[in-house]
Amino acid sequence: EAAREAEAAEAARVAAAAAAAAAPVLLKYEELDTATASFSAARVIGVGGNATVYKADPLSPLQRRLPGSSRAVAVKRLTVSGGVAAAEAAEELRHEVDILCRLSHP
């Protein structure tokens, strides 16, 4: 009986941890700015048509706020402004985030 209860408690703990890791985290601009050293060119890991991708500092407070914070974090910053181009870039980013949320990483 005790073994069954311990097993059930462990299963509940694992399920709760998985749910917390999957929950979105709302970040402040200041956190992103700090984690990327004010969007420093030294932290750039990719550049596309409408965005630049930065590697977050693994020691930044941002890393500690995210579930599974031992993982590397990339910050994507849109670089377009105004009009149709900005709306299209934002829609592309939403689509990309949707795809990434559906992936299952080990």
Side-chain angles (χ1 to χ4, degrees):
E1 182 68 29
R4 229 186 264 165
E5 287 178 14
E7 190 175 300
E10 177 63 12
R13 187 193 66 75
V14 169
V25 177
L26 184 60
L27 302 169
K28 295 180 181 178
Y29 179 87
E30 292 77 17
E31 292 174 299
L32 300 173
D33 187 63
T34 299
T36 60
S38 297
F39 297 96
S40 167
R43 293 215 153 269
V44 172
I45 57 175
V47 178
N50 296 325
T52 304
V53 180
Y54 301 84
K55 182 178 180 184
D57 179 352
L59 301 177
S60 74
L62 169 76
Q63 289 285 125
R64 291 188 295 278
R65 282 203 52 220
L66 299 174
S69 63
S70 62
R71 295 178 284 182
V73 173
V75 175
K76 189 168 193 175
R77 183 181 193 193
L78 295 180
T79 55
V80 298
S81 62
V84 175
E88 289 174 3
E91 183 58 32
E92 286 177 19
L93 179 62
R94 276 191 290 279
H95 181 67
E96 183 178 343
V97 169
D98 182 53
I99 290 170
L100 290 172
C101 288
R102 295 170 194 252
L103 294 177
S104 176
H105 295 285

